[in-house]
Amino acid sequence: MARNSYSTLTLFRKFILTPLLLAIVSCGLVSPKEHTNETVNGVIKNAGDDFLIVEKLTLNKIEPVDTLDLEDDGSFSFKYKSDTAWFYRFRLQNKNTWVQVLIHPNDKLDVTADANDLIASFNVKGNPKSEKFREYLRQFITFGNAKDSINQIYQAAQAENKAHLIFDDMQQKYMKLMADFETYSHDFVVANPDNLGSLIAVQNLDPVKNQELIGKLTVSLKKAYPNQPYVLDFVDKTSKAIALSVGGTAPDIQLTDPNGKALSLYSLRGKVVLIDFWATWCGPCRKEFPFLKQAYATYKDKGFDIFSVSLDKDLNTWKNGITQYELPWNHVLESQAGAASKTYEVTGIPKTLLIDKQGKILAVDLRGEALLSKLAEVLK
């Protein structure tokens, strides 16, 4: 890795379920539910006259559930009714610190914590799944603190113009840290396939290397939590991701070409096709043009074609770009609704998929020489 790419040290994998963990919304006072089937009793020491706010973490928002008075000794009791498991956030109002708790229907949990360090001191007992999830979060915090330490050391060296002296060492430590955390997350998912907490752990795995494990997890979680919105969303997204991975069948794309005529990806069946999402304003896309031109010139008479989908918003800009950059293959313009991008889950460009004569995906996101090498293998 080049020295100017040390920004990777500031990256830490974020959950797909980010709103569950990071979103912050205001919380009003909410009365407890009349009928209950979940009970959480606990003690938070050194909380003083603070309030404990309980919030349910849904897919799209943090939903206020209750605001609890703490007794003089910090004790509290929370009762709630739910027909499935949820992640909840227990937050001290004045300190604005919080912990995440996994609660199942009919749970009777006991929690303890110290307000002076709520996150590190928090413990939960009463359901093995909740306890194991708490342990995973504890390790997540440990890895996060280690990452922050690496960043702080590097930033201090930058301030003294000495960053170049420690770059290699810091990068090595960071990469080992990330590898260790991925291993820990992998082992957690393997050991806890029916734990809702594995939805958090799986977000820290390489989806390509762990495709089989992720597929098994969708089955076990769907069985354990058949009506859980987190799980249903995860199963849906995973199914789409698997369908768009190597071995899946590329969905059809029907859009308009530069002449205003409808053009379908499936009309190219019988050829090896590179589906290419790009835009005239995309610098990395333009850097790929020489390789695309070489690929097209070399293999167009051997059963190869390119199907480029532009994300440009302006029709003339798109047409002029095709002419200016001399791109002599098939082109279509993405719809205003972004139908093709949504179907192919395009989150960044350039994005490519190489498909065979039957439409099966052979490779994803090939770049430069890797594309030429793959085509030489496929079309030899």
Side-chain angles (χ1 to χ4, degrees):
M1 178 178 293
R3 293 184 180 273
N4 61 8
S5 64
Y6 189 81
S7 59
T8 54
L9 281 178
T10 65
L11 299 178
F12 201 61
R13 286 192 176 95
K14 294 182 178 180
F15 305 143
I16 290 176
L17 302 174
T18 302
L20 305 177
L21 300 175
L22 302 179
I24 298 176
V25 298
S26 60
C27 177
L29 299 180
V30 180
S31 299
K33 306 300 178 182
E34 182 177 352
H35 302 290
T36 65
N37 67 344
E38 301 170 357
T39 302
V40 180
N41 294 313
V43 177
I44 300 181
K45 298 179 180 179
N46 301 312
D49 58 356
D50 211 338
F51 294 98
L52 185 65
I53 298 172
V54 183
E55 300 158 323
K56 183 165 70 174
L57 307 179
T58 70
L59 278 174
N60 301 312
K61 65 179 181 179
I62 300 180
E63 177 183 312
V65 172
D66 206 349
T67 299
L68 307 173
D69 291 317
L70 296 173
E71 302 295 337
D72 292 341
D73 63 352
S75 62
F76 68 90
S77 181
F78 166 66
K79 298 179 184 298
Y80 191 64
K81 182 176 179 63
S82 178
D83 59 356
T84 188
W86 289 97
F87 294 116
Y88 293 82
R89 194 167 78 164
F90 282 58
R91 178 164 63 90
L92 288 173
Q93 179 174 269
N94 295 332
K95 289 184 176 294
N96 199 32
T97 57
W98 54 273
V99 291
Q100 190 172 347
V101 187
L102 172 58
I103 305 178
H104 295 76
N106 303 314
D107 267 356
K108 298 186 184 303
L109 303 180
D110 291 302
V111 303
T112 57
D114 189 320
N116 291 327
D117 194 349
L118 186 68
I119 296 175
S121 65
F122 186 80
N123 280 298
V124 58
K125 299 292 182 182
N127 185 324
K129 289 184 178 181
S130 300
E131 295 167 14
K132 290 177 180 178
F133 176 59
R134 170 63 187 124
E135 181 57 31
Y136 179 82
L137 291 184
R138 191 186 301 277
Q139 293 299 321
F140 175 79
I141 293 168
T142 298
F143 278 101
N145 290 339
K147 181 266 297 184
D148 290 342
S149 177
I150 292 173
N151 284 336
Q152 290 169 6
I153 293 172
Y154 185 76
Q155 289 169 7
Q158 278 186 316
E160 298 178 0
N161 294 320
K162 296 180 179 179
H164 62 285
L165 299 176
I166 66 169
F167 174 85
D168 291 337
D169 182 51
M170 291 294 99
Q171 184 183 46
Q172 183 176 2
K173 288 181 177 179
Y174 179 81
M175 298 306 293
K176 183 180 185 305
L177 177 70
M178 296 305 299
D180 288 346
F181 184 55
E182 181 169 2
T183 298
Y184 176 77
S185 298
H186 175 276
D187 293 346
F188 182 89
V189 173
V190 170
N192 300 278
D194 61 345
N195 190 324
L196 195 62
S198 287
L199 270 184
I200 305 299
V202 76
Q203 312 307 323
N204 295 288
L205 302 183
D206 184 323
V208 176
K209 293 191 302 183
N210 295 280
Q211 183 173 318
E212 182 178 355
L213 176 60
I214 294 172
K216 290 180 178 178
L217 182 63
T218 62
V219 175
S220 58
L221 287 180
K222 185 69 179 298
K223 182 178 180 180
Y225 305 93
N227 301 313
Q228 218 302 316
Y230 302 147
V231 174
L232 297 178
D233 183 69
F234 175 69
V235 170
D236 178 62
K237 290 179 178 178
T238 300
S239 298
K240 291 179 179 179
I242 291 175
L244 292 172
S245 61
V246 174
T249 298
D252 193 16
I253 299 174
Q254 297 187 45
L255 293 169
T256 303
D257 71 8
N259 297 317
K261 296 181 179 180
L263 178 62
S264 167
L265 171 65
Y266 280 9
S267 69
L268 301 180
R269 282 287 174 85
K271 294 183 177 182
V272 173
V273 179
L274 182 73
I275 305 170
D276 169 44
F277 288 88
W278 73 293
T280 57
W281 44 261
C282 170
C285 300
R286 295 193 297 271
K287 289 182 179 180
E288 289 298 309
F289 288 165
F291 299 100
L292 295 181
K293 289 180 179 181
Q294 182 178 346
Y296 187 72
T298 303
Y299 297 108
K300 66 178 181 178
D301 295 328
K302 299 181 180 180
F304 173 68
D305 213 332
I306 300 176
F307 189 88
S308 286
V309 183
S310 173
L311 273 58
D312 281 292
K313 299 299 182 182
D314 183 76
L315 180 65
N316 290 327
T317 299
W318 168 54
K319 290 182 177 181
N320 291 336
I322 295 172
T323 302
Q324 176 185 350
Y325 299 116
E326 300 179 340
L327 311 177
W329 48 80
N330 300 290
H331 291 272
V332 293
L333 184 63
E334 174 63 292
S335 66
Q336 291 297 317
S341 299
K342 291 177 182 177
T343 298
Y344 279 81
E345 298 190 336
V346 177
T347 57
I349 53 175
K351 178 179 178 63
T352 64
L353 298 92
L354 184 67
I355 62 176
D356 67 12
K357 297 179 181 180
Q358 289 75 43
K360 296 290 185 181
I361 299 173
L362 298 173
V364 178
D365 288 332
L366 291 174
R367 299 280 192 276
E369 294 294 341
L371 171 63
L372 300 177
S373 176
K374 185 65 175 179
L375 289 175
E377 172 191 331
V378 173
L379 297 169
K380 61 183 178 181

